[in-house]
Amino acid sequence: MPLTTLKRKLIGTPLKTAEAAHERLSNFAALAVFSSDALSSVAYATEEILLVLVLAGSAGLPKSLPISVAIAALLLIVATSYRQTIPAYPSGGGAYIVAKENLGVYPGLIAGAALLIDYVLTVAVSVAAGVAAITSALPALHPHRIGLGILFIALITLANLRGVKESGKIFAIPTYLFIASFAMMIGVGFAKSFFAGETAAVEQTFAPPTQELGLFLLLRAFASGCTALTGVEAISNGIPAFKYPEARNASATLAWMAGILLTLFLGITVLAHFYSVVPRHGETLVSQLARNILGTGALYYVIQAATAMILILAANTSYADFPRLASILARDQFLPHQLTSRGDRLVFSNGIIALGLVASALIWLFRGETHALIPLYAVGVFLSFTLSQAGMVRRWLSLRTPGWQRAVTINGLGAISTAVVLSVIAATKFIHGAWIVIALIPLMITGFRKIHAHYMLMTQQLSLQGFEPQKPQEQIVLVPVSGIHRGVVTALQYARTLSPHVEAVYVDLDVEATEALRLKWGLWAGGIELMILDSPYRSVLRPLLEYIEGVEQRHPDALITVVLPQVVPARWWHNLLHNQTAWFIRGALLFKKRVIVITDIALHLTE
Amino acid sequence: MPLTTLKRKLIGTPLKTAEAAHERLSNFAALAVFSSDALSSVAYATEEILLVLVLAGSAGLPKSLPISVAIAALLLIVATSYRQTIPAYPSGGGAYIVAKENLGVYPGLIAGAALLIDYVLTVAVSVAAGVAAITSALPALHPHRIGLGILFIALITLANLRGVKESGKIFAIPTYLFIASFAMMIGVGFAKSFFAGETAAVEQTFAPPTQELGLFLLLRAFASGCTALTGVEAISNGIPAFKYPEARNASATLAWMAGILLTLFLGITVLAHFYSVVPRHGETLVSQLARNILGTGALYYVIQAATAMILILAANTSYADFPRLASILARDQFLPHQLTSRGDRLVFSNGIIALGLVASALIWLFRGETHALIPLYAVGVFLSFTLSQAGMVRRWLSLRTPGWQRAVTINGLGAISTAVVLSVIAATKFIHGAWIVIALIPLMITGFRKIHAHYMLMTQQLSLQGFEPQKPQEQIVLVPVSGIHRGVVTALQYARTLSPHVEAVYVDLDVEATEALRLKWGLWAGGIELMILDSPYRSVLRPLLEYIEGVEQRHPDALITVVLPQVVPARWWHNLLHNQTAWFIRGALLFKKRVIVITDIALHLTE
């Protein structure tokens, strides 16, 4: 089968369940694996702040410095707060689990919905920003950015369907290349501007101010910059991947990550100020900065390539997180059970495919523009931050372990500050897209609850508790026939083995055919009665269902079995040449409450 | 159910089979019903001739006159030839029937394929030309011509799904309006040019000659003009609709139609010459002529409206012919049987829908341009003309009824001249699109033959001739289970009524779940053995099918029944929450030759 071969080529041969294994990561490797999401936001966070400030003209630009300092302070608070989650949830404390355990199911579901949205947006935003890094260096590709974005998503999806097992090694190179090249650029940038006093005469061509530099605009710029914090929670979800002692190693790695992120983010923002670089269409801020500091030689292309690579890696992290969270929600009966099954390569294939499709749709809907997606992004992140840390506060208050007062203070500060930032983001970004996420979360919660209710009801209705198996009763067998041929005769014969009460049912569509059948019937039916039904409107299904209803009413206690003679052609396209009446009858019968047994008797045609 | 309500609104309430009736038409009404296809070609035939001639510059234009005379002569030959088919086939002598009866099945199928293509093209060409008549009068609509064309096809399709019963009355008004208004325009045109000597100074802005005025170009212009003959055969297909004496009335009506067509076609061509009108983009030739002769007052709009209406009617005639021919081919087992069934309103719904879809696709593919479709059009028509008349020649030669010599001469002349024209069309129009039709016909014949072979094989394999019903043998019942619940217990109990040999089969995907099932099994399974299958690759289907194959090999003579416990949710969307494993199992089992009985036992969930 060529389709299977294609699947094997793309996805690889199936892996046995027993081949599932855990790779333990050194801190050096773990930093690479878990920090790409957080670090990659350096590529766009400063630009997003300036994009808002520039609305107030050049006067607004210097405000990027205090705003960045505020974001850096927030980062420190959140990181410190998350370090407390690590020893408390050594097997991984995602916001869904922490909120559900400590605050209840409902807040847990809110966190779950927020995280699912966040993961999808991480893919869309990171890929859009990665493509922007590429098209900044190669402007000819700019018109193809939507196609490129969807292509990258397809490749990441495929890679994840194969299973990205060798993660530590693959991740280290681009992540450390990114850190090193950005550190180098920042170093050179500062050196040039301080010692050589060179702060390049950049062409400043921005539109005249359209908005006043008021508090709202500053808050909106701050809200845009808060995307720098996305991904900070990744390490606290992945503790089991660390070497012993896991909690201490994870804690140390988180501190390192926060430090690096802080340095790079503040470095880029200050340099953008020194070099008077402002956002412009068609080239990213980082690309402009790199051109100004490093020229357009090989080093410039290293920066752009490292940026694109770490952004693609960041998108890739969601491919582990989204399917895992979806499978946990499915295990808890809030999402379809199909999301819990592992595919050929031991990954949650359905979740991976769903993520790829939704992220591609976002890239297409928002025309591949990072800027258009940003207002949707931070809402989910900060909602899950707030719930997770509020959950930790609740936990300390009930456990009262030694030192709980300090812990409550830290997590409380974290919860309050992220809650405040959440309201700022929701308010300032509402009309720019945050409303979509705010509207989506309650819809998703409703969906979770409906799914849960269905599974609970099903479990209850299928339960054997107090179940009295019914005694076998009178059985009536009905055989709808379309004429008389080998398949029908075989079916009639089988029907007779089930019960002495067998009726063949025929719908009269053509007087001549009916007469011909009546003549042949006696010869082949072995005494089974033929019921001929009128069908003034030429429908087969309606008279048949009406007849079955009549039988049900006349025999209220009988078990009714419908035996369907079916001709199975040798080739699939031959099915197009048959009326498929048997399929329609089965479809209609399945939804009738009384008929619970439908038997297909197949007669296989040969070529 | 709202979907059914919508269908009722659009299509109307179902009609009883007994309501089918034949309307008998007076000659006056019959001319209106059967001639719209033929007469409507006056709207584009002259323009198509001039479109070719203009390639040789203004010198080529006067050649339209001898070409039109040749086409008129051909029309007389064909009409005279077809008048002989009328008494010979009083119940309707379509080319498929005449060719099949007299020349054999294969020529009949060629004629059938040619006619099906021809009917589709009649719809596409007529609608495209009708839309051109409208956009000539209202140029603002020109960019929307594809959408308008598809809209018209949708409306005609819908009208035919309702059933166009009141045909005589509806058809008379536009047809006679068309004849009267064109006669009036031609009369006024000749009067003005002769008596007032007025032959308007038309703006002549055509491109410089690109081709030489050689024989090939003249033949190509002739081939384009031959589209004027399309639809001439309609009356000979519809004889049973005439009043007594049917054959004589039909014959007289055919003569009238040929006379009117001849007059209008020659009139338009001569006037186009007198008024020096040449085709130009965005306005039809008839529209230009009408503007020149009648000005842009109300009369101009009457001409355009009458043109559009008769063209829409012409498209409509294919909606009777195509489904009828398709149903005859299906009855003869050359097309899927579904095409023989009459829908709620007693029409061949499947054929009508197929015609609407294919014609819409053509309008879309050829950008709604009449001119682009024309090269495909005449091939099928002349192929069926040739086969039909050759069939008549063969008929006279074998019957030798009184006067057969004269009949052979007439039909022979018809067959030879249409065969010659067919080769001219195929040769001159080949690269412009005729190749599509020439390539399509053998493909369609192959399709017909494959379908026929399948039905023949099926009839033979289902035949009761020499059939020995097998004795009931050992029966083995297999019950695939996904766990133990009410549905499973009910299925096991039913299975036990079928045979003493019942095996439950379970695929082990999770050690814990398997252990739990093993513990509960004894309590509920009533002694039925549970087979637990390993599945290292987490597939449910593969181990199950392998197990069934093993059972087949161990019991080569047994009848194997697979009983599938199935949970049927109360709402359709709940199906998305279930794995649908039962459906996959059934799908796989249907294609296994040995398992011929598959039984679904449904447990219906309630809300």
Side-chain angles (χ1 to χ4, degrees):
Chain A
M1 277 173 283
L3 209 68
T4 316
T5 317
L6 178 68
K7 188 184 163 197
R8 289 282 155 268
K9 281 250 159 87
L10 289 174
I11 311 293
T13 49
L15 295 176
K16 294 197 179 179
T17 313
E19 292 177 42
H22 275 296
E23 189 191 7
R24 291 288 178 141
L25 301 168
S26 67
N27 287 6
F28 183 81
L31 183 67
V33 169
F34 294 115
S35 66
S36 62
D37 184 7
L39 295 182
S40 66
S41 47
V42 169
Y44 49 79
T46 304
E47 179 162 0
E48 292 299 326
I49 296 172
L50 291 174
L51 264 170
V52 176
L53 292 176
V54 90
L55 295 174
S58 58
L61 298 177
K63 300 290 180 196
S64 63
L65 300 177
I67 287 173
S68 296
V69 172
I71 292 169
L74 184 65
L75 169 62
L76 285 178
I77 293 171
V78 171
T80 314
S81 184
Y82 261 99
R83 283 185 74 178
Q84 301 210 90
T85 310
I86 293 173
Y89 285 90
S91 62
Y96 168 65
I97 291 169
V98 175
K100 190 179 146 214
E101 261 189 30
N102 298 296
L103 302 175
V105 172
Y106 213 78
L109 289 180
I110 298 175
L115 280 171
L116 288 179
I117 294 173
D118 175 29
Y119 293 143
V120 172
L121 282 163
T122 297
V123 176
V125 168
S126 302
V127 167
V131 169
I134 293 171
T135 58
S136 294
L138 307 166
L141 292 175
H142 191 254
H144 306 292
R145 63 191 187 286
I146 297 174
L148 271 175
I150 291 173
L151 179 72
F152 277 123
I153 292 178
L155 291 176
I156 303 170
T157 305
L158 219 55
N160 279 279
L161 286 174
R162 287 191 77 101
V164 188
K165 214 181 161 189
E166 315 80 344
S167 40
K169 291 160 223 159
I170 310 184
F171 280 58
I173 297 169
T175 306
Y176 286 109
L177 178 67
F178 175 78
I179 296 173
S181 61
F182 267 58
M184 179 271 293
M185 174 170 78
I186 292 168
V188 175
F190 274 102
K192 277 198 179 172
S193 72
F194 275 112
F195 300 111
E198 181 191 334
T199 51
V202 185
E203 64 285 22
Q204 288 242 19
T205 52
F206 48 89
T210 55
Q211 298 200 13
E212 220 179 308
L213 189 67
L215 181 64
F216 188 82
L217 200 74
L218 291 176
L219 287 176
R220 207 180 127 195
F222 169 78
S224 289
C226 282
T227 49
L229 270 73
T230 54
V232 166
E233 78 293 354
I235 288 177
S236 67
N237 293 343
I239 308 164
F242 283 84
K243 286 194 176 145
Y244 180 84
E246 290 88 353
R248 235 173 82 186
N249 282 324
S251 214
T253 309
L254 176 55
W256 271 100
M257 184 187 77
I260 295 170
L261 173 55
L262 213 79
T263 313
L264 297 184
F265 171 60
L266 287 177
I268 294 291
T269 310
V270 173
L271 280 182
H273 180 67
F274 282 174
Y275 283 78
S276 308
V277 176
V278 287
R280 66 188 189 91
H281 189 71
E283 184 176 11
T284 65
L285 190 90
V286 167
S287 168
Q288 294 183 58
L289 209 52
R291 272 201 298 108
N292 275 290
I293 295 173
L294 305 170
T296 51
L299 282 177
Y300 165 77
Y301 289 99
V302 170
I303 292 281
Q304 292 307 108
T307 310
M309 276 195 288
I310 199 160
L311 282 161
I312 302 289
L313 276 195
N316 187 69
T317 57
S318 283
Y319 277 83
D321 296 335
F322 181 95
R324 189 177 50 214
L325 178 57
S327 80
I328 294 174
L329 282 163
R331 191 199 59 201
D332 292 352
Q333 324 255 31
F334 291 112
L335 279 178
H337 284 165
Q338 288 94 319
L339 291 165
T340 62
S341 57
R342 289 180 184 269
D344 283 352
R345 302 281 292 183
L346 284 168
V347 294
F348 298 113
S349 318
N350 293 324
I352 290 173
I353 293 167
L355 176 61
L357 291 178
V358 180
S360 300
L362 280 180
I363 288 281
W364 183 73
L365 282 172
F366 289 85
R367 321 308 299 155
E369 303 276 7
T370 317
H371 177 58
L373 287 159
I374 288 288
L376 284 74
Y377 193 19
V379 181
V381 181
F382 277 84
L383 186 51
S384 69
F385 280 168
T386 308
L387 287 166
S388 164
Q389 288 164 117
M392 289 306 292
V393 170
R394 185 76 174 273
R395 184 186 159 90
W396 302 125
L397 287 177
S398 61
L399 288 181
R400 310 235 168 194
T401 44
W404 65 271
Q405 297 91 338
R406 189 176 158 269
V408 164
T409 316
I410 293 175
N411 284 135
L413 181 63
I416 291 167
S417 36
T418 51
V420 170
V421 173
L422 174 62
S423 1
V424 169
I425 295 171
T428 58
K429 294 280 176 186
F430 191 82
I431 55 161
H432 302 104
W435 66 269
I436 300 173
V437 175
I438 292 167
L440 201 56
I441 288 176
L443 286 178
M444 288 173 70
I445 307 277
T446 310
F448 292 160
R449 294 181 66 194
K450 286 211 167 187
I451 290 170
H452 194 73
H454 170 73
Y455 282 132
M456 290 298 104
L457 199 72
M458 184 183 77
T459 309
Q460 184 195 321
Q461 291 186 27
L462 292 179
S463 160
L464 290 168
Q465 201 99 44
F467 177 55
E468 280 284 317
Q470 291 170 291
K471 297 263 140 55
Q473 298 152 317
E474 179 198 7
Q475 191 177 355
I476 298 177
V477 183
L478 302 177
V479 189
V481 299
S482 61
I484 181 101
H485 57 61
R486 284 183 190 219
V488 170
V489 171
T490 311
L492 291 173
Q493 196 181 334
Y494 184 83
R496 220 179 299 115
T497 68
L498 298 179
S499 162
H501 185 161
V502 178
E503 294 177 23
V505 190
Y506 177 74
V507 178
D508 171 19
L509 293 177
D510 174 348
V511 183
E512 284 173 42
T514 308
E515 207 42 53
L517 174 64
R518 223 194 280 270
L519 289 174
K520 268 190 173 175
W521 190 257
L523 257 74
W524 290 100
I528 291 173
E529 200 185 349
L530 177 66
M531 309 299 304
I532 292 173
L533 309 180
D534 276 346
S535 179
Y537 298 105
R538 299 165 306 287
S539 160
V540 172
L541 217 51
R542 225 174 306 164
L544 198 60
L545 293 178
E546 279 167 16
Y547 182 77
I548 294 173
E549 272 162 30
V551 173
E552 286 176 353
Q553 277 163 20
R554 288 193 298 278
H555 305 272
D557 295 320
L559 172 69
I560 297 174
T561 296
V562 176
V563 172
L564 294 171
Q566 193 156 328
V567 171
V568 180
R571 298 209 169 193
W572 70 264
W573 68 266
H574 290 162
N575 280 307
L576 301 175
L577 305 178
H578 299 266
N579 271 320
Q580 311 301 344
T581 317
W583 290 92
F584 285 113
I585 296 176
R586 185 192 305 99
L589 289 178
L590 262 183
F591 286 92
K592 286 187 64 64
K593 292 282 141 63
R594 271 292 304 284
V595 180
I596 68 156
V597 185
I598 306 163
T599 297
D600 288 295
I601 303 208
L603 183 109
H604 293 93
L605 297 181
T606 52
E607 277 265 43
Chain B
M1 279 174 279
L3 211 67
T4 317
T5 317
L6 178 68
K7 187 184 164 196
R8 288 282 154 270
K9 281 251 161 87
L10 289 173
I11 312 291
T13 50
L15 295 175
K16 292 197 180 181
T17 312
E19 291 175 40
H22 274 295
E23 191 191 7
R24 291 288 178 142
L25 301 168
S26 67
N27 287 6
F28 183 80
L31 183 67
V33 169
F34 292 115
S35 67
S36 61
D37 183 7
L39 294 182
S40 66
S41 47
V42 168
Y44 50 80
T46 304
E47 179 163 359
E48 292 299 326
I49 296 172
L50 292 174
L51 264 169
V52 176
L53 291 176
V54 87
L55 295 174
S58 58
L61 298 177
K63 301 290 181 196
S64 63
L65 299 177
I67 287 174
S68 296
V69 172
I71 291 170
L74 184 65
L75 169 62
L76 285 179
I77 293 171
V78 172
T80 314
S81 183
Y82 261 100
R83 282 184 77 176
Q84 299 209 95
T85 309
I86 293 174
Y89 285 91
S91 63
Y96 168 65
I97 291 169
V98 175
K100 191 179 145 213
E101 261 190 30
N102 299 297
L103 302 175
V105 171
Y106 214 76
L109 290 181
I110 298 175
L115 280 172
L116 289 179
I117 294 173
D118 175 30
Y119 293 144
V120 172
L121 282 164
T122 298
V123 175
V125 168
S126 302
V127 167
V131 169
I134 293 172
T135 58
S136 294
L138 306 166
L141 292 177
H142 190 254
H144 305 293
R145 64 191 186 286
I146 297 174
L148 271 175
I150 292 174
L151 179 72
F152 276 123
I153 293 178
L155 291 175
I156 303 170
T157 305
L158 218 56
N160 280 279
L161 286 175
R162 289 190 74 102
V164 189
K165 215 181 160 189
E166 315 80 347
S167 41
K169 290 160 220 156
I170 310 183
F171 280 58
I173 297 169
T175 306
Y176 287 107
L177 177 66
F178 174 78
I179 295 173
S181 62
F182 267 57
M184 178 271 294
M185 174 169 78
I186 291 168
V188 174
F190 275 102
K192 277 199 178 173
S193 74
F194 277 111
F195 299 110
E198 180 191 334
T199 51
V202 184
E203 64 286 19
Q204 287 240 22
T205 53
F206 47 89
T210 55
Q211 299 200 15
E212 220 180 309
L213 188 65
L215 182 63
F216 188 82
L217 200 74
L218 291 177
L219 287 177
R220 205 179 130 196
F222 170 77
S224 289
C226 281
T227 50
L229 269 73
T230 55
V232 165
E233 78 291 356
I235 287 176
S236 67
N237 293 343
I239 308 163
F242 283 83
K243 286 193 175 146
Y244 181 84
E246 290 87 353
R248 232 172 86 186
N249 281 324
S251 214
T253 309
L254 176 55
W256 270 99
M257 184 186 78
I260 295 169
L261 173 55
L262 213 79
T263 313
L264 296 184
F265 171 60
L266 287 176
I268 294 290
T269 309
V270 173
L271 279 182
H273 179 68
F274 282 174
Y275 283 79
S276 309
V277 176
V278 286
R280 64 187 190 90
H281 189 72
E283 185 177 11
T284 62
L285 190 92
V286 167
S287 167
Q288 295 182 57
L289 208 53
R291 272 201 298 110
N292 275 290
I293 295 173
L294 305 170
T296 51
L299 282 176
Y300 166 76
Y301 289 99
V302 170
I303 291 282
Q304 291 306 108
T307 310
M309 275 195 289
I310 199 160
L311 281 161
I312 302 289
L313 276 195
N316 187 70
T317 57
S318 282
Y319 276 84
D321 295 335
F322 180 96
R324 189 178 50 214
L325 178 57
S327 80
I328 292 172
L329 281 163
R331 191 199 60 201
D332 291 352
Q333 324 254 34
F334 291 112
L335 279 178
H337 284 165
Q338 290 93 319
L339 291 164
T340 60
S341 56
R342 291 180 183 267
D344 284 353
R345 303 282 290 184
L346 284 169
V347 293
F348 297 113
S349 318
N350 293 324
I352 290 172
I353 292 167
L355 176 61
L357 291 178
V358 181
S360 299
L362 280 180
I363 288 281
W364 183 74
L365 282 172
F366 289 84
R367 321 309 298 156
E369 303 278 7
T370 317
H371 177 57
L373 287 159
I374 288 287
L376 284 74
Y377 194 17
V379 182
V381 181
F382 277 85
L383 186 52
S384 70
F385 279 169
T386 307
L387 287 166
S388 163
Q389 288 164 116
M392 289 305 292
V393 170
R394 186 74 175 274
R395 183 187 161 90
W396 302 128
L397 287 177
S398 60
L399 288 182
R400 310 227 171 200
T401 44
W404 65 271
Q405 296 92 338
R406 188 175 160 271
V408 163
T409 315
I410 293 176
N411 283 135
L413 181 64
I416 290 165
S417 37
T418 52
V420 169
V421 172
L422 174 62
S423 359
V424 169
I425 294 171
T428 58
K429 295 279 177 187
F430 191 81
I431 55 160
H432 302 103
W435 65 270
I436 301 173
V437 176
I438 292 167
L440 201 56
I441 288 175
L443 286 179
M444 287 174 71
I445 306 278
T446 310
F448 292 161
R449 293 181 66 195
K450 286 210 166 188
I451 290 170
H452 194 72
H454 171 73
Y455 282 132
M456 289 300 104
L457 200 71
M458 183 181 79
T459 308
Q460 183 195 320
Q461 290 185 26
L462 292 179
S463 160
L464 290 168
Q465 202 100 41
F467 178 55
E468 279 286 318
Q470 292 171 289
K471 298 263 139 56
Q473 299 152 314
E474 180 198 5
Q475 191 177 355
I476 298 177
V477 183
L478 301 178
V479 189
V481 299
S482 61
I484 181 100
H485 57 62
R486 285 183 189 220
V488 170
V489 171
T490 311
L492 291 173
Q493 197 181 336
Y494 183 84
R496 221 180 297 116
T497 67
L498 297 179
S499 161
H501 186 159
V502 178
E503 294 176 23
V505 189
Y506 177 74
V507 178
D508 170 19
L509 292 177
D510 173 349
V511 183
E512 284 174 41
T514 308
E515 207 40 54
L517 174 63
R518 224 194 280 268
L519 289 174
K520 268 189 173 176
W521 190 257
L523 258 75
W524 292 100
I528 290 174
E529 201 184 346
L530 177 66
M531 309 299 303
I532 293 173
L533 309 181
D534 276 346
S535 178
Y537 298 106
R538 299 166 307 287
S539 159
V540 172
L541 216 51
R542 225 174 306 163
L544 197 60
L545 293 178
E546 280 168 14
Y547 183 77
I548 294 173
E549 272 162 30
V551 172
E552 285 176 353
Q553 278 164 17
R554 286 193 297 278
H555 305 272
D557 296 319
L559 171 69
I560 297 174
T561 296
V562 176
V563 172
L564 293 171
Q566 193 156 329
V567 171
V568 179
R571 300 207 167 193
W572 70 265
W573 68 265
H574 290 163
N575 279 308
L576 301 176
L577 305 178
H578 299 266
N579 272 318
Q580 312 300 347
T581 317
W583 289 91
F584 286 112
I585 296 176
R586 185 190 306 99
L589 290 179
L590 263 183
F591 287 93
K592 285 188 66 65
K593 293 281 140 64
R594 273 289 305 282
V595 179
I596 67 156
V597 186
I598 306 164
T599 297
D600 289 294
I601 304 210
L603 182 109
H604 293 92
L605 297 180
T606 52
E607 277 263 45

